[in-house]
Amino acid sequence: MSQLSIFDMVTSEPVAVSEPVKPVVMPVPAFRHVSADTARREFIREFRHTAPYHRRWDVFSDFIALAASDLDMAKIHTAEANENAARIYARYKPDDMEKLKNLFSLLVDALTAQFQDFLGSVFMELELGSGDMGQYFTPYPVSQLLTGVLTGDMHAQLKTCPYITLSEPTSGAGGMVIAYAEAMRDAGLNPSEQLLVITTDIDPVAADMTFIQLSLLGIPAIVHTGNTLSLQVSRTRCTPVYYINDFPKRVREHERIQAMLNFIRNMG
């Protein structure tokens, strides 16, 4: 069976979905020059008319599952990914698959236009948090405010390590991480090269929302689905730029250097 991909359906104006995860200074270049507000309005409108025969939560979670699966470089060609995609596709009519395609294009447009917690904000606007697990995603301006208060001297932190490590134990849709990456960019730094994020969320849909947005924004991240308190993890995904910028090797090299320095200190 060939790999089924929501990316394959993006056939209107070409959207080079691989570009946002290249190791370049963010923000990534715009593709269709659609404003963030326009993309948001169109996403809300399109979503409300997509697959009316399904619950809104089911459509949203299916969309998130497809997008996250296709951005998972480590597992995109596996039989499991194929089977999950085929199971979801079978639930939708062809015209609704086209709408899912357009939703993904609008998501890319929105995140290309500006840093934001796009998925968290549309989730709340669509009132999807009223059922199921009762999620509430912090408004992005609040995340920006908190980041401004809590962020230390990033340049000083980079003097001891070539990248800043950020841990988010309850990531939601990734809004706090995105706000931090935006603050790094505004400080003249490159989050794609100088930030490593580790996130966890107990809700698989929320964890996938984090993974999708950090992937498309070119933020290196290890995204866990699991319980921060019990340390149980059911799934781990790494964003494409984590591999592209060779963070596994960079982390090992930094740990090796730190171990040598600690050994020297102890000898003294």
Side-chain angles (χ1 to χ4, degrees), residues 14 18 20 26 41 46 48 52 62 69 78 129 148 150 159 233 268:
S18 61
M26 297 188 291
R41 288 194 302 269
E46 188 78 298
R48 285 174 171 158
D62 283 345
S69 179
T78 64
L150 299 175
K159 290 180 180 178
V233 174

Side-chain angles (χ1 to χ4, degrees), residues 4-240:
L4 295 172
S5 170
I6 196 171
F7 293 166
D8 295 338
M9 300 186 297
V10 182
T11 57
S12 52
E13 295 185 51
V15 178
V17 294
S18 61
E19 287 194 34
V21 294
K22 288 183 179 179
V24 297
V25 177
M26 297 188 291
V28 296
F31 300 118
R32 301 195 298 182
H33 304 288
V34 176
S35 72
D37 287 342
T38 298
R40 178 190 178 87
R41 288 194 302 269
E42 287 299 308
F43 188 100
I44 295 294
R45 182 193 61 79
E46 188 78 298
F47 180 83
R48 285 174 171 158
H49 293 90
T50 300
Y53 41 87
H54 289 319
R55 290 193 311 156
R56 295 301 81 198
W57 168 260
D58 292 337
V59 175
F60 187 84
S61 60
D62 283 345
F63 168 73
I64 293 300
L66 288 174
S69 179
D70 281 356
L71 288 164
D72 189 351
M73 290 178 61
K75 299 179 180 178
I76 189 171
H77 295 300
T78 64
E80 179 184 3
N82 260 352
E83 291 169 2
N84 289 337
R87 175 181 51 79
I88 294 173
Y89 289 170
R91 290 166 34 83
Y92 292 87
K93 298 176 182 178
D95 61 331
D96 289 312
M97 291 305 302
E98 285 296 311
K99 288 184 173 66
L100 290 176
K101 168 206 71 176
N102 193 42
L103 289 174
F104 183 80
S105 295
L106 291 167
L107 167 61
V108 174
D109 290 337
L111 292 177
T112 297
Q114 68 180 55
F115 278 77
Q116 59 177 309
D117 179 6
F118 180 79
L119 290 175
S121 65
V122 298
F123 182 97
M124 296 306 296
E125 184 170 341
L126 291 165
E127 299 182 341
L128 296 172
S130 60
D132 293 275
M133 295 187 70
Q135 298 96 327
Y136 175 83
F137 296 114
T138 303
Y140 190 64
V142 176
S143 295
Q144 290 175 303
L145 177 62
L146 291 173
T147 298
V149 172
L150 299 175
T151 298
D153 187 340
M154 296 177 178
H155 293 276
Q157 295 176 58
L158 289 168
K159 290 180 180 178
T160 58
C161 182
Y163 53 85
I164 296 171
T165 301
L166 177 66
S167 179
E168 173 54 280
T170 54
S171 66
M176 285 293 294
V177 175
I178 296 169
Y180 189 91
E182 183 179 20
M184 286 190 71
R185 182 205 61 179
D186 292 345
L189 301 173
N190 182 0
S192 291
E193 288 278 1
Q194 296 173 293
L195 177 64
L196 175 60
V197 178
I198 303 171
T199 74
T200 305
D201 201 281
I202 196 170
D203 176 26
V205 175
D208 281 352
M209 290 164 70
T210 294
F211 174 72
I212 291 166
Q213 297 198 117
L214 300 190
S215 293
L216 292 176
L217 287 169
I219 299 173
I222 302 169
V223 180
H224 298 303
T225 302
N227 189 319
T228 300
L229 297 178
S230 68
L231 301 180
Q232 293 179 316
V233 174
S234 60
R235 182 176 63 202
T236 297
R237 282 177 160 148
C238 298
T239 59

